[in-house]
Amino acid sequence: GDWDLEVAARAGATGGRLVFLGSGDCQLFDGQGKLLGESAVPWRYSGRQGVVSVSFTLDLASFSDDVLILDGVIDDAGELGGAIYRGDAEMAARGAGPKTNVGSFTARRR
């Protein structure tokens, strides 16, 4: 589905649109509808004890050898929020290797 995205990062605040596709792909668009990046691996979610966790990795053209990893939880209001990490494209896309926290995000269903 479509989600409005707000990001608070060290480089400043920004926003955009996230689209989670049934195929497992995720796409990130800027405020004008330009595609900024797509998932490096399928997005995934898990549910435990009433908590739904969502994790996805975005490969952006602006990062040469890195990807963004977004790990979050859906709260009772249906809002997705969590941390944004930057990691090596090859390792981080598989959930391995070191990663650096670069900010946080909040997403709301459109």
XYZ file of all heavy atoms in Angstrom:
803
model
N 0.807 -1.183 0.000
C 0.000 0.000 0.000
C 0.851 1.248 0.000
O 2.072 1.197 0.115
N 0.212 2.381 -0.117
C 0.862 3.694 -0.130
C 0.938 4.280 1.270
O -0.045 4.255 2.013
C 0.071 4.664 -1.004
C 0.320 4.466 -2.476
O 1.168 3.638 -2.840
O -0.339 5.156 -3.269
N 2.098 4.841 1.601
C 2.328 5.457 2.905
C 3.006 6.807 2.705
O 3.888 6.951 1.865
C 3.252 4.585 3.750
C 2.683 3.254 4.119
C 2.455 2.206 3.277
C 2.282 2.822 5.401
N 1.947 1.145 3.978
C 1.838 1.489 5.290
C 2.279 3.421 6.660
C 1.371 0.763 6.367
C 1.814 2.691 7.746
C 1.364 1.376 7.598
N 2.588 7.823 3.477
C 3.282 9.104 3.516
C 4.440 8.962 4.491
O 4.266 8.447 5.601
C 2.347 10.225 3.982
C 1.321 10.569 2.925
O 1.691 10.637 1.737
O 0.149 10.777 3.288
N 5.617 9.409 4.106
C 6.830 9.225 4.888
C 7.375 10.553 5.375
O 7.466 11.509 4.609
C 7.895 8.527 4.031
C 9.265 8.331 4.658
C 9.199 7.304 5.778
C 10.272 7.893 3.597
N 7.730 10.611 6.669
C 8.433 11.745 7.247
C 9.746 11.216 7.805
O 9.767 10.203 8.494
C 7.619 12.382 8.370
C 6.333 13.013 7.909
C 5.486 13.521 9.068
O 6.021 13.687 10.185
O 4.292 13.739 8.854
N 10.835 11.920 7.500
C 12.164 11.487 7.937
C 12.821 12.602 8.735
O 12.802 13.760 8.326
C 13.048 11.145 6.713
C 14.481 10.878 7.131
C 12.475 9.946 5.968
N 13.395 12.237 9.874
C 14.230 13.143 10.663
C 15.630 12.548 10.637
O 15.881 11.514 11.251
C 13.710 13.248 12.088
N 16.523 13.176 9.888
C 17.882 12.659 9.733
C 18.887 13.735 10.103
O 18.536 14.911 10.199
C 18.104 12.199 8.288
N 20.126 13.339 10.273
C 21.175 14.297 10.604
C 21.307 15.358 9.524
O 21.673 16.491 9.797
C 22.497 13.570 10.793
C 22.502 12.716 12.026
C 23.887 12.193 12.348
N 23.788 11.333 13.507
C 24.019 10.041 13.487
N 24.375 9.443 12.370
N 23.900 9.324 14.582
N 21.007 14.995 8.290
C 21.102 15.936 7.169
C 19.898 16.860 7.091
O 19.856 17.756 6.258
C 21.263 15.166 5.863
N 18.875 16.643 7.922
C 17.682 17.482 7.920
C 16.419 16.658 7.763
O 16.466 15.450 7.558
N 15.305 17.319 7.866
C 14.005 16.650 7.753
C 13.551 16.656 6.303
O 13.825 17.581 5.557
C 12.977 17.352 8.630
N 12.862 15.598 5.924
C 12.338 15.489 4.561
C 11.137 14.560 4.584
O 10.748 14.034 5.611
C 13.431 14.987 3.586
O 12.928 15.086 2.250
C 13.829 13.563 3.878
N 10.551 14.338 3.431
C 9.398 13.458 3.338
C 9.279 12.864 1.961
O 10.098 13.134 1.077
N 8.274 12.055 1.778
C 8.059 11.412 0.497
C 6.938 10.408 0.589
O 6.068 10.512 1.459
N 6.966 9.452 -0.294
C 5.922 8.426 -0.344
C 6.580 7.062 -0.473
O 7.458 6.865 -1.306
C 5.013 8.686 -1.543
C 3.795 7.805 -1.565
C 2.895 8.165 -2.735
N 2.905 7.024 -3.647
C 2.972 7.090 -4.945
N 3.023 8.232 -5.567
N 2.975 5.993 -5.677
N 6.142 6.135 0.354
C 6.581 4.742 0.285
C 5.471 3.915 -0.330
O 4.296 4.117 -0.005
C 6.835 4.178 1.679
C 8.101 4.578 2.387
C 8.056 4.075 3.828
C 9.306 4.000 1.672
N 5.834 2.991 -1.195
C 4.853 2.076 -1.773
C 5.366 0.656 -1.546
O 6.435 0.293 -2.027
C 4.640 2.324 -3.279
C 3.640 1.330 -3.848
C 4.162 3.752 -3.521
N 4.609 -0.111 -0.768
C 4.918 -1.517 -0.545
C 4.099 -2.335 -1.535
O 2.873 -2.288 -1.518
C 4.567 -1.937 0.885
C 5.406 -1.268 1.930
C 4.951 -0.151 2.604
C 6.661 -1.759 2.235
C 5.716 0.469 3.570
C 7.449 -1.150 3.193
C 6.972 -0.034 3.863
N 4.770 -3.070 -2.407
C 4.099 -3.862 -3.430
C 3.915 -5.298 -2.946
O 4.717 -5.805 -2.164
C 4.908 -3.840 -4.722
C 5.204 -2.445 -5.290
C 6.163 -2.529 -6.455
C 3.909 -1.774 -5.699
N 2.881 -5.950 -3.425
C 2.606 -7.331 -3.065
C 3.714 -8.291 -3.457
O 3.854 -9.367 -2.891
N 4.543 -7.881 -4.401
C 5.658 -8.714 -4.866
C 6.806 -8.752 -3.861
O 7.741 -9.533 -4.018
C 6.182 -8.182 -6.197
O 6.715 -6.879 -6.008
N 6.744 -7.894 -2.834
C 7.828 -7.800 -1.866
C 8.731 -6.606 -2.109
O 9.594 -6.304 -1.307
N 8.523 -5.916 -3.226
C 9.316 -4.731 -3.517
C 8.769 -3.525 -2.762
O 7.588 -3.467 -2.408
C 9.317 -4.413 -5.013
C 10.177 -5.368 -5.812
O 11.135 -5.920 -5.242
O 9.899 -5.565 -7.002
N 9.637 -2.550 -2.536
C 9.259 -1.288 -1.915
C 9.865 -0.185 -2.764
O 10.989 -0.324 -3.265
C 9.803 -1.235 -0.488
S 9.402 0.299 0.362
N 9.123 0.900 -2.953
C 9.611 2.028 -3.742
C 9.504 3.300 -2.908
O 8.555 3.464 -2.138
C 8.800 2.192 -5.022
C 8.873 0.985 -5.931
C 7.912 1.101 -7.108
O 6.795 1.573 -6.961
N 8.366 0.659 -8.265
N 10.478 4.195 -3.079
C 10.471 5.484 -2.405
C 10.405 6.588 -3.452
O 11.207 6.616 -4.386
C 11.746 5.649 -1.564
C 11.930 7.011 -0.903
C 10.830 7.278 0.121
C 13.305 7.091 -0.241
N 9.426 7.483 -3.294
C 9.227 8.612 -4.198
C 9.389 9.915 -3.414
O 9.055 9.974 -2.228
C 7.810 8.584 -4.799
C 7.540 7.396 -5.668
C 7.052 6.228 -5.120
C 7.765 7.447 -7.036
C 6.790 5.114 -5.918
C 7.512 6.353 -7.840
C 7.025 5.184 -7.278
N 9.879 10.959 -4.075
C 9.943 12.261 -3.417
C 8.557 12.911 -3.459
O 7.596 12.315 -3.958
C 11.026 13.144 -4.039
C 10.726 13.618 -5.454
O 9.594 13.426 -5.957
O 11.633 14.192 -6.078
N 8.462 14.136 -2.949
C 7.177 14.831 -2.885
C 6.561 15.151 -4.232
O 5.360 15.371 -4.335
N 7.360 15.156 -5.299
C 6.851 15.439 -6.645
C 6.565 14.171 -7.442
O 6.226 14.232 -8.613
C 7.848 16.307 -7.421
C 7.889 17.756 -6.972
C 8.560 17.928 -5.622
O 9.608 17.344 -5.369
N 7.958 18.712 -4.752
N 6.738 13.011 -6.822
C 6.437 11.752 -7.499
C 7.610 11.120 -8.241
O 7.446 10.125 -8.935
N 8.819 11.678 -8.079
C 10.001 11.117 -8.733
C 10.501 9.910 -7.930
O 10.667 9.991 -6.718
C 11.104 12.167 -8.815
C 12.382 11.649 -9.439
C 13.461 12.710 -9.420
C 14.773 12.118 -9.913
N 15.879 13.034 -9.682
N 10.768 8.808 -8.636
C 11.278 7.604 -7.994
C 12.717 7.847 -7.536
O 13.586 8.173 -8.332
C 11.237 6.416 -8.961
C 11.758 5.082 -8.430
C 10.886 4.577 -7.283
C 11.814 4.057 -9.550
N 12.958 7.680 -6.211
C 14.293 7.887 -5.651
C 15.052 6.579 -5.472
O 16.275 6.558 -5.527
C 14.203 8.586 -4.296
C 13.571 9.971 -4.287
C 13.462 10.480 -2.872
C 14.386 10.925 -5.154
N 14.327 5.508 -5.233
C 14.987 4.233 -5.014
C 14.005 3.101 -4.850
O 12.809 3.314 -4.664
N 14.532 1.890 -4.943
C 13.721 0.685 -4.802
C 14.397 -0.266 -3.823
O 15.590 -0.133 -3.538
C 13.558 0.005 -6.148
C 12.802 0.859 -7.147
C 12.612 0.157 -8.469
O 13.570 0.122 -9.256
O 11.503 -0.353 -8.691
N 13.641 -1.227 -3.358
C 14.176 -2.169 -2.380
C 15.311 -2.999 -2.965
O 15.299 -3.357 -4.136
C 13.065 -3.071 -1.853
O 12.370 -3.689 -2.914
N 16.285 -3.277 -2.097
C 17.402 -4.131 -2.492
C 17.030 -5.604 -2.301
O 17.537 -6.467 -2.997
C 18.638 -3.787 -1.671
N 16.170 -5.859 -1.340
C 15.645 -7.197 -1.054
C 14.176 -7.023 -0.689
O 13.733 -5.931 -0.367
C 16.410 -7.890 0.108
C 17.849 -8.173 -0.283
C 16.349 -7.074 1.372
N 13.366 -8.081 -0.728
C 11.945 -7.954 -0.376
C 11.746 -7.433 1.050
O 12.504 -7.788 1.960
C 11.414 -9.376 -0.510
C 12.357 -10.047 -1.455
C 13.706 -9.439 -1.174
N 10.734 -6.568 1.240
C 10.396 -6.104 2.581
C 9.817 -7.276 3.349
O 9.331 -8.235 2.785
C 9.444 -4.910 2.535
C 8.117 -5.143 1.887
C 7.827 -5.012 0.565
C 6.903 -5.547 2.520
N 6.507 -5.306 0.339
C 5.911 -5.642 1.523
C 6.557 -5.842 3.824
C 4.609 -6.010 1.799
C 5.252 -6.208 4.102
C 4.296 -6.284 3.093
N 9.908 -7.197 4.662
C 9.394 -8.296 5.481
C 8.757 -7.745 6.754
O 9.082 -6.645 7.199
C 10.502 -9.286 5.805
C 11.686 -8.730 6.507
C 12.848 -9.731 6.565
N 13.977 -9.198 7.282
C 14.930 -8.454 6.763
N 14.894 -8.129 5.501
N 15.924 -8.015 7.494
N 7.867 -8.543 7.295
C 7.232 -8.159 8.545
C 7.071 -9.403 9.407
O 7.097 -10.533 8.929
C 5.879 -7.489 8.295
C 4.812 -8.434 7.807
C 3.926 -9.027 8.695
C 4.701 -8.741 6.463
C 2.952 -9.909 8.246
C 3.737 -9.608 5.999
C 2.865 -10.189 6.899
O 1.912 -11.057 6.458
N 6.915 -9.161 10.689
C 6.654 -10.256 11.618
C 5.742 -9.732 12.710
O 5.745 -8.543 13.023
C 7.960 -10.799 12.210
O 8.594 -9.805 12.991
N 4.956 -10.612 13.261
C 4.062 -10.251 14.348
C 4.292 -11.144 15.548
O 4.264 -12.363 15.427
N 4.576 -10.507 16.692
C 4.783 -11.250 17.932
C 4.127 -10.508 19.072
O 4.353 -9.316 19.235
C 6.272 -11.399 18.234
C 6.961 -12.359 17.322
C 8.416 -12.562 17.747
N 9.168 -12.778 16.532
C 10.278 -12.167 16.210
N 10.823 -11.322 17.015
N 10.869 -12.420 15.064
N 3.370 -11.200 19.846
C 2.732 -10.653 21.039
C 2.045 -9.318 20.763
O 2.193 -8.358 21.505
C 3.750 -10.521 22.168
C 4.357 -11.849 22.556
C 5.460 -11.701 23.581
O 5.963 -10.612 23.820
N 5.840 -12.811 24.184
N 1.323 -9.250 19.676
C 0.561 -8.055 19.328
C 1.378 -6.928 18.714
O 0.855 -5.840 18.484
N 2.664 -7.147 18.455
C 3.521 -6.112 17.866
C 3.887 -6.530 16.450
O 4.373 -7.630 16.226
C 4.810 -5.922 18.701
C 5.730 -4.908 18.028
C 4.479 -5.492 20.115
N 3.625 -5.646 15.486
C 3.977 -5.912 14.095
C 5.233 -5.114 13.754
O 5.241 -3.884 13.855
C 2.832 -5.539 13.132
C 3.261 -5.747 11.690
C 1.591 -6.353 13.449
N 6.298 -5.817 13.392
C 7.564 -5.189 13.009
C 7.719 -5.253 11.500
O 7.399 -6.268 10.889
C 8.736 -5.916 13.660
O 8.627 -5.865 15.052
N 8.217 -4.176 10.906
C 8.423 -4.101 9.469
C 9.867 -3.686 9.219
O 10.394 -2.787 9.879
C 7.471 -3.077 8.814
C 7.714 -2.992 7.325
C 6.027 -3.425 9.112
N 10.520 -4.356 8.261
C 11.890 -4.025 7.912
C 12.016 -4.007 6.392
O 11.498 -4.885 5.715
C 12.846 -5.066 8.511
O 14.167 -4.784 8.157
N 12.705 -2.995 5.878
C 12.919 -2.934 4.440
C 14.199 -2.173 4.157
O 14.672 -1.387 4.962
C 11.725 -2.325 3.699
C 11.264 -0.991 4.213
C 11.614 0.176 3.561
C 10.455 -0.908 5.336
C 11.181 1.403 4.022
C 10.017 0.317 5.803
C 10.373 1.472 5.143
N 14.777 -2.474 3.020
C 16.057 -1.906 2.611
C 15.865 -1.188 1.286
O 15.275 -1.739 0.370
C 17.105 -3.036 2.449
O 17.188 -3.740 3.674
C 18.449 -2.484 2.087
N 16.344 0.052 1.206
C 16.203 0.843 -0.010
C 17.561 1.116 -0.632
O 18.495 1.531 0.047
C 15.517 2.179 0.295
C 14.058 2.085 0.716
C 13.586 3.426 1.261
C 13.197 1.653 -0.454
N 17.655 0.867 -1.919
C 18.851 1.143 -2.700
C 18.602 2.450 -3.446
O 17.790 2.500 -4.365
C 19.113 -0.008 -3.671
C 20.446 0.100 -4.371
O 21.229 1.007 -4.027
O 20.701 -0.721 -5.260
N 19.270 3.522 -3.029
C 19.061 4.834 -3.623
C 20.206 5.189 -4.559
O 21.366 4.887 -4.274
C 18.966 5.905 -2.537
C 17.922 5.679 -1.443
C 17.988 6.792 -0.414
C 16.540 5.589 -2.039
N 19.888 5.853 -5.640
C 20.912 6.257 -6.618
C 21.930 7.207 -5.991
O 23.079 7.253 -6.398
C 20.251 6.906 -7.822
N 21.521 7.962 -4.958
C 22.418 8.936 -4.339
C 23.481 8.289 -3.445
O 24.425 8.942 -3.035
C 21.609 9.956 -3.537
O 20.832 9.292 -2.563
N 23.335 6.998 -3.121
C 24.328 6.271 -2.322
C 25.004 5.263 -3.226
O 24.375 4.329 -3.713
C 23.682 5.515 -1.167
C 23.085 6.396 -0.109
C 22.071 5.923 0.693
C 23.526 7.682 0.101
C 21.514 6.710 1.686
C 22.981 8.483 1.087
C 21.974 7.993 1.885
N 26.305 5.405 -3.432
C 26.982 4.536 -4.392
C 27.085 3.093 -3.923
O 26.693 2.183 -4.628
C 28.360 5.091 -4.728
O 29.146 5.177 -3.555
N 27.616 2.854 -2.738
C 27.824 1.476 -2.288
C 27.058 1.132 -1.022
O 27.326 0.114 -0.393
C 29.318 1.213 -2.049
C 30.114 1.229 -3.345
O 29.556 0.798 -4.372
O 31.258 1.672 -3.322
N 26.137 1.990 -0.619
C 25.383 1.770 0.608
C 23.888 1.686 0.325
O 23.424 2.086 -0.738
C 25.617 2.918 1.599
C 27.004 2.892 2.210
O 27.711 1.890 2.036
O 27.374 3.879 2.852
N 23.167 1.165 1.296
C 21.712 1.131 1.248
C 21.179 1.720 2.550
O 21.912 1.829 3.535
C 21.158 -0.309 1.070
C 21.509 -0.864 -0.291
C 21.630 -1.219 2.183
N 19.909 2.096 2.552
C 19.228 2.497 3.778
C 18.402 1.316 4.271
O 17.705 0.675 3.491
C 18.313 3.694 3.533
C 18.993 5.014 3.228
C 17.927 6.097 3.020
C 19.955 5.415 4.335
N 18.494 1.049 5.555
C 17.718 -0.020 6.183
C 16.746 0.662 7.138
O 17.172 1.435 8.006
C 18.628 -0.987 6.979
C 19.714 -1.583 6.073
C 17.802 -2.082 7.619
C 21.077 -1.037 6.350
N 15.470 0.435 6.962
C 14.462 1.021 7.831
C 13.814 -0.091 8.630
O 13.259 -1.034 8.062
C 13.414 1.787 7.022
C 13.914 3.108 6.409
C 14.651 2.868 5.113
C 12.761 4.055 6.185
N 13.920 -0.004 9.952
C 13.340 -0.977 10.873
C 12.323 -0.257 11.729
O 12.663 0.733 12.391
C 14.403 -1.594 11.782
C 15.311 -2.553 11.062
O 14.811 -3.302 10.213
O 16.518 -2.561 11.357
N 11.096 -0.745 11.721
C 10.074 -0.069 12.495
C 9.009 -0.984 13.033
O 8.997 -2.187 12.779
N 8.103 -0.368 13.796
C 6.993 -1.066 14.422
C 5.718 -0.296 14.102
O 5.707 0.933 14.096
C 7.206 -1.139 15.954
C 6.008 -1.726 16.646
C 8.459 -1.928 16.279
N 4.644 -1.015 13.848
C 3.337 -0.390 13.633
C 2.644 -0.265 14.984
O 2.473 -1.261 15.692
C 2.484 -1.208 12.648
C 3.178 -1.270 11.286
C 1.090 -0.598 12.522
C 2.472 -2.118 10.259
N 2.267 0.964 15.355
C 1.635 1.186 16.651
C 0.125 0.963 16.575
O -0.417 0.612 15.522
C 1.981 2.564 17.204
C 1.410 3.719 16.391
O 0.490 3.509 15.565
O 1.890 4.853 16.585
N -0.560 1.170 17.701
C -2.004 0.923 17.777
C -2.810 1.802 16.836
O -3.908 1.440 16.419
C -2.501 1.133 19.216
C -1.981 0.064 20.163
O -1.599 -1.027 19.678
O -1.944 0.319 21.388
N -2.275 2.976 16.480
C -2.969 3.888 15.567
C -2.696 3.540 14.103
O -3.198 4.197 13.202
C -2.541 5.324 15.854
N -1.871 2.503 13.860
C -1.565 2.098 12.496
C -0.408 2.859 11.883
O -0.159 2.771 10.686
N 0.322 3.617 12.699
C 1.463 4.387 12.223
C 2.734 3.533 12.310
O 2.959 2.838 13.297
C 1.607 5.616 13.110
C 2.387 6.730 12.521
C 2.251 7.989 13.357
O 1.286 8.740 13.133
O 3.107 8.207 14.235
N 3.552 3.598 11.271
C 4.814 2.869 11.224
C 5.939 3.828 11.575
O 6.081 4.870 10.947
C 5.020 2.291 9.821
C 6.355 1.639 9.485
C 6.614 0.442 10.385
C 6.377 1.218 8.021
N 6.716 3.495 12.586
C 7.809 4.366 12.991
C 9.011 3.566 13.425
O 8.877 2.440 13.904
N 10.194 4.144 13.242
C 11.389 3.431 13.651
C 12.662 4.145 13.280
O 12.682 5.354 13.075
N 13.730 3.376 13.166
C 15.068 3.905 12.927
C 15.511 3.679 11.486
O 15.089 2.722 10.841
C 16.061 3.231 13.870
N 16.370 4.578 11.016
C 16.975 4.462 9.689
C 18.470 4.239 9.880
O 19.129 4.963 10.627
C 16.774 5.739 8.854
C 15.292 6.064 8.726
C 17.417 5.582 7.473
C 15.022 7.412 8.079
N 18.979 3.222 9.208
C 20.399 2.887 9.261
C 20.975 2.945 7.854
O 20.275 2.736 6.873
C 20.612 1.477 9.815
C 20.038 1.274 11.186
C 18.761 0.765 11.350
C 20.786 1.609 12.321
C 18.226 0.588 12.616
C 20.259 1.430 13.587
C 18.980 0.919 13.729
O 18.447 0.747 14.979
N 22.270 3.186 7.789
C 22.993 3.123 6.523
C 24.021 2.004 6.636
O 24.696 1.887 7.661
C 23.697 4.450 6.254
C 24.359 4.526 4.902
C 24.883 5.919 4.639
N 25.542 5.966 3.340
C 25.839 7.076 2.705
N 25.558 8.235 3.236
N 26.433 7.027 1.530
N 24.081 1.161 5.610
C 25.012 0.042 5.657
C 25.514 -0.322 4.274
O 24.966 0.118 3.263
N 26.542 -1.134 4.238
C 27.129 -1.608 2.988
C 26.079 -2.352 2.170
O 25.378 -3.216 2.696
C 28.311 -2.528 3.297
C 28.877 -3.159 2.047
O 29.611 -2.463 1.324
O 28.579 -4.347 1.801
N 25.972 -2.030 0.907
C 24.908 -2.583 0.061
C 24.898 -4.106 0.032
O 23.858 -4.730 0.179
C 25.015 -2.035 -1.354
N 26.046 -4.706 -0.149
C 26.087 -6.158 -0.286
C 25.754 -6.870 1.019
O 24.996 -7.827 1.035
C 27.465 -6.602 -0.782
C 27.492 -8.062 -1.170
C 28.793 -8.443 -1.840
O 29.389 -7.598 -2.525
O 29.193 -9.596 -1.670
N 26.290 -6.405 2.125
C 26.080 -7.062 3.412
C 24.735 -6.682 4.041
O 23.999 -7.526 4.516
C 27.209 -6.707 4.385
C 28.568 -7.186 3.933
S 28.668 -8.976 3.843
C 28.688 -9.376 5.565
N 24.424 -5.389 4.041
C 23.229 -4.913 4.734
C 21.953 -5.405 4.077
O 20.943 -5.624 4.749
C 23.230 -3.387 4.793
N 21.961 -5.585 2.780
C 20.764 -6.074 2.088
C 20.382 -7.463 2.578
O 19.227 -7.851 2.510
C 20.995 -6.092 0.581
N 21.356 -8.193 3.109
C 21.071 -9.527 3.648
C 20.899 -9.503 5.163
O 20.827 -10.548 5.798
C 22.203 -10.474 3.273
C 22.282 -10.734 1.786
C 23.297 -11.791 1.477
N 24.608 -11.411 1.985
C 25.714 -11.324 1.257
N 25.661 -11.585 -0.022
N 26.854 -10.982 1.789
N 20.901 -8.296 5.759
C 20.730 -8.168 7.197
C 21.998 -8.406 7.987
O 21.950 -8.668 9.177
N 23.156 -8.327 7.344
C 24.430 -8.580 8.019
C 25.318 -7.350 7.932
O 25.007 -6.387 7.253
C 25.120 -9.777 7.370
N 26.432 -7.406 8.610
C 27.413 -6.341 8.529
C 27.074 -5.153 9.405
O 25.971 -5.034 9.926
N 28.040 -4.257 9.554
C 27.823 -3.071 10.398
C 26.865 -2.093 9.741
O 26.767 -2.014 8.524
C 29.226 -2.472 10.522
C 29.959 -2.960 9.326
C 29.379 -4.312 8.992
N 26.162 -1.362 10.594
C 25.267 -0.318 10.097
C 25.321 0.854 11.060
O 25.585 0.691 12.244
C 23.848 -0.846 9.898
C 23.208 -1.477 11.099
C 21.868 -2.093 10.745
C 21.244 -2.744 11.969
N 19.979 -3.372 11.681
N 25.067 2.035 10.522
C 25.140 3.266 11.289
C 23.772 3.920 11.328
O 23.131 4.087 10.284
C 26.133 4.249 10.614
O 27.400 3.598 10.484
C 26.292 5.516 11.413
N 23.323 4.301 12.516
C 22.040 4.992 12.652
C 22.179 6.392 12.073
O 23.075 7.139 12.450
C 21.621 5.060 14.122
C 20.234 5.639 14.279
O 19.976 6.763 13.868
N 19.349 4.889 14.869
N 21.290 6.741 11.126
C 21.340 8.058 10.489
C 20.065 8.868 10.696
O 19.946 9.975 10.191
C 21.656 7.943 8.973
C 23.054 7.388 8.769
C 20.620 7.111 8.261
N 19.096 8.310 11.430
C 17.875 9.068 11.673
C 16.716 8.190 12.066
O 16.878 7.031 12.443
N 15.529 8.791 11.977
C 14.290 8.082 12.301
C 13.225 8.400 11.267
O 13.378 9.353 10.496
C 13.816 8.454 13.699
O 13.537 9.855 13.747
N 12.167 7.608 11.260
C 11.096 7.845 10.298
C 9.742 7.558 10.914
O 9.619 6.819 11.893
C 11.287 6.990 9.044
C 10.963 5.523 9.236
C 9.725 5.022 8.892
C 11.907 4.667 9.782
C 9.419 3.683 9.082
C 11.629 3.335 9.963
C 10.384 2.838 9.632
N 8.731 8.148 10.309
C 7.334 7.884 10.622
C 6.599 7.790 9.303
O 6.832 8.601 8.405
C 6.712 9.009 11.467
O 7.488 9.196 12.644
C 5.282 8.701 11.852
N 5.739 6.786 9.167
C 4.954 6.630 7.936
C 3.493 6.398 8.310
O 3.194 5.683 9.267
C 5.490 5.476 7.102
N 2.612 7.017 7.542
C 1.169 6.874 7.747
C 0.516 6.435 6.455
O 0.848 6.950 5.388
C 0.567 8.204 8.178
C 1.031 8.660 9.526
C 0.569 10.101 9.810
N 1.242 10.636 10.970
C 2.447 11.179 10.962
N 3.114 11.277 9.826
N 2.991 11.633 12.053
N -0.430 5.512 6.567
C -1.159 5.040 5.388
C -1.879 6.193 4.712
O -2.427 7.052 5.361
C -2.188 3.984 5.782
C -1.727 2.594 5.505
C -2.969 1.691 5.572
N -2.693 0.331 5.341
C -2.241 -0.201 4.228
N -1.964 0.549 3.203
N -2.049 -1.489 4.101
N -1.853 6.194 3.384
C -2.551 7.234 2.610
C -4.028 6.934 2.536
O -4.459 5.859 2.573
C -1.989 7.282 1.189
C -0.580 7.785 1.172
C -0.057 7.881 -0.220
N 0.550 9.196 -0.275
C 0.534 9.975 -1.319
N -0.030 9.610 -2.425
N 1.125 11.140 -1.300
